Amino acid sequence: MKKIFTKIVKGINDFSNSEKEVLQEFIDENIIIIGSNDLYEINSKYKVAIVKINKNNATLKDLANEHKDVKIDFENLSGAYDKDLVLAKRVFNPRSKTKAKVIRVLEGNKKEILIYKRDNAFFTLKENIELQVKKEIEANENDILLIDDKSFEVIKNLGNISDAKIDEQISLYLYNEEFRLNKPLEVEAKMDDTKQRVDLTHLAFTTIDPASAKDHDDAIYYDKENEILYVGIADVSYFVKEGSELDKLAFLKSTSAYLPGKVLPMLPNELSEDMCSLKEGVERYSYVFKIYLDIEHKAVLKSEVFEAIIKSRRKFSYGRIDRVLEKKFDTYTEEEKEIFDTLISLYEVTKSFRYERLKKGYDFRSVEYRLKLNRQYELEGIDVETSSPSHQLVEECMLLANIEASKKVNSVGIFRIHEEPPFKAISKLVDDVNALGIKAKLQNDVHDTITHIQEKAKHSVIKDEIDELIIHAQTQAKYSSKNLGHFGLGFSSYSHFTSPIRRYSDLVLHRMLKTKETPKNIDEICEHISIQERKIDQMVWDFEDRKYARWAAKNLGLEIKVKITDDEKGVCVSYGLMPGMKIYLDNYKGQVLFSKQKVVIKSSDILTKKIVGSLKY
């Protein structure tokens, strides 16, 4: 059907007899007319298009010309859903804005969608569109159902929204990641490499991770005397063979998903938490970068990458190493004191390299919120994580390894790219920060403009918010087979090498470095893992927003502190008691962007994740 109507809108008239038979029905209804030169044309009162569901409305995507797309309200979809081919009737309103209403679904793919029941009606959970249900569906109020969107058959009843355990299933089903709940593949992993590996077990490698970490991708060791940095990465590619069922599933996932209090790993636990994890006191296969540093010139003289065996001497938390870098050693063994002395020396080296790097790259004051759940899977608090000295120490070591890895692949490889933002975005950024009282001007280039804005905002109370605006003005980093550089980090060449347990990109890069070959489908790999990365982020945000909504529903009437984050739609974000919670204001009257206010929580819908509050005047 789509092929037939695409021919019509493109003015192509070579229809087969069977296609003409299909069209006759539409001719009889005066939906299709035969114009001059016997060309088939769609009556101007109608439109045949593909439905695209957006966040707040839908679009009828034209079959030939994107400039002829038409916006349509959810209530006018008449049961049509995303990617359906539909016949819509145009409605011209007095304000000359073309509107439309779907009158028939011409072609629809069978899909499974999540719906919920409320007030004897059914709504899609993702977009909150009311469905025109054509049969009786047995369900209780606020039940979550997975249904066939064409037959309305119930495939699965996930449970009721009153149960906080359901949130994980909701997010996974909404983003088509429910296969992560399947039984893991069986793995028989053995360290039985017949090739001679470099034995580095005599070196005092250490891992530095969050205290709760179970998968240890990377370990570091610094040879202070010879100024050599060793970055040991779990040798995942030895255990996950290309083309195996394990590999296919890892590609499908592309990344581990980190939900509050739980990890949905890319690889089975036998690998991610055991054989591929650089555990303390255990020999493990590793893929090691040996990086010779030029301390004086803040540069890398040369590097080697090879398969090795290492033994992590200690696993440390970021908090412990932060204290060490402040010369607060706590209780320690003689070996630990030697490691601490080495890490202190390495930190001074990485600090100087970081200073040099930030002449081209950027230092954003990033804050991450880690949601903590209780035994009932409800939100009980937030850990606020900032970039501390120990984080920066590890980050600089990983950046060096990633850069060196990118230099050793072919011109067509797997690169992490971040393109320079367009002039229009930077010009708007300057206007936005000026409106907030930060007097900034466009400079010679994008880098100078951004650093100029950061310098101007350095002593402002909204310096963190200015950083947020700068980040939003930039393009999104992604994977590419072509090296286009990494603008944000200031690198001409960059790849992801250091996290193969949780990122498929790194696993592919390891294979390429070992075989000196580029996969034939490298562009497909890059596109898929880039899309997956963004999708998993959205899935985690969906999960977290629902946890916030549950907390708000139990704290109606509570007064909290917020800052205005959208001065057009009247949206604010909380800080202090429960930071990171988005609230829609029902009495917004043009308060200044980023201004701090007090809000009373009025309502919270766990299903739609919408929290409404009122400003206190």
Side-chain angles (χ1 to χ4, degrees), residues 549-593:
R550 284 190 185 280
W551 182 88
K554 288 193 171 185
N555 288 276
L556 300 181
L558 187 69
E559 181 184 301
I560 57 173
K561 297 175 181 178
V562 301
K563 63 181 179 183
I564 304 297
T565 53
D566 188 330
D567 57 354
E568 291 181 7
K569 297 178 181 177
V571 180
C572 60
V573 171
S574 62
Y575 68 94
L577 175 64
M578 195 57 66
M581 181 169 60
K582 184 192 295 182
I583 301 167
Y584 294 83
L585 300 170
D586 64 0
N587 62 341
Y588 178 69
K589 292 182 180 177
Q591 278 73 17
V592 176
L593 185 65

Side-chain angles (χ1 to χ4, degrees), residues 52-90:
K52 182 180 186 298
I53 299 291
N54 309 314
K55 188 173 183 180
N56 299 312
N57 55 29
T59 303
L60 297 179
K61 304 290 290 181
D62 192 87
L63 296 177
N65 186 345
E66 65 181 31
H67 299 295
K68 294 182 179 180
D69 292 351
V70 175
K71 287 278 196 315
I72 183 170
D73 295 329
F74 287 149
E75 58 264 30
N76 291 329
L77 285 173
S78 307
Y81 201 64
D82 201 38
K83 298 180 183 175
D84 285 349
L85 180 73
V86 298
L87 173 66
K89 191 167 185 178
R90 296 174 182 271

Side-chain angles (χ1 to χ4, degrees), residues 76 123 259 320 393 425 430 454 456-457 581:
N76 291 329
F123 301 83
L259 299 175
R320 178 78 190 275
L393 163 65
V430 171
Q454 285 189 309
K456 286 283 186 179
M581 181 169 60

Side-chain angles (χ1 to χ4, degrees), residues 420-438:
E420 183 176 302
F423 173 78
K424 186 178 178 181
I426 295 302
S427 182
K428 182 180 183 302
L429 173 65
V430 171
D431 290 342
D432 288 345
V433 298
N434 272 287
L436 293 169
I438 306 298

